[in-house]
Amino acid sequence: MKKILILNGPNLNLLGTREPAQYGYTTLSDVEGFCKLHGEKIGYEVECFQSNWEGALLDKIHAYGQLYKADEVLGVVFNPGALTHTSIALYDAIKGVEPMPVIECHISNVHTREAFRHHSWVSPAAAGIVVGFGVDGYLIAMDGLVRKFTQTSARQQH
Ligand code: DQA
């Protein structure tokens, strides 16, 4: 069974208590739980990883790049948190493991928020972007990954 990685960056361990008006009351462990269940339904093994450290996120992307080469991985759903807006290293890491697809996912609609959240270093390297659907965005991103990178795209069905 191929793997999907649900990768979360800084402060996302605080989901559930952190600015609930912005991010809701669902905890990271709830998110990881429903992503794993969804993976079972759609036929993928889901691994979840969160870190507040940029280097740990880079290492995980590199490791998954190797697994992708070995045909063990479909891709990654990645919420880089605030590193979205600052990290050229994350952009380079995603480019460095191409063609492994990485879907960028944000719980909030970053474009309705402060101007500093409007720019993403990750977007130009991302295979797709899901923004503003709350924590459902992780599931939407998983489905998008499957639809875009397997034989189930709408184009092929219609
Ligand atoms: C976020 C949006 C980022 O701007 C913020 O720094 C986060 C969470 C989101 O999921 O909406 O930590 O990525």
Side-chain angles (χ1 to χ4, degrees), residues 90-145:
L90 284 177
Y91 167 83
D92 282 346
I94 297 167
K95 294 297 280 183
V97 296
E98 270 178 354
M100 181 177 77
V102 175
I103 309 294
E104 179 182 352
C105 175
H106 298 286
I107 296 164
S108 63
N109 181 353
V110 284
H111 298 289
T112 61
R113 300 181 61 194
E114 303 96 322
F116 64 82
R117 294 185 205 277
H118 298 177
H119 177 263
S120 166
W121 286 106
V122 171
S123 294
I129 305 164
V130 175
V131 165
F133 285 92
V135 291
D136 285 351
Y138 290 92
L139 302 181
I140 294 167
M142 285 173 75
D143 286 341
L145 194 57

Side-chain angles (χ1 to χ4, degrees), residues 8 33 42 74 86 100:
N8 278 289
I42 62 175
L74 180 67
T86 61
M100 181 177 77

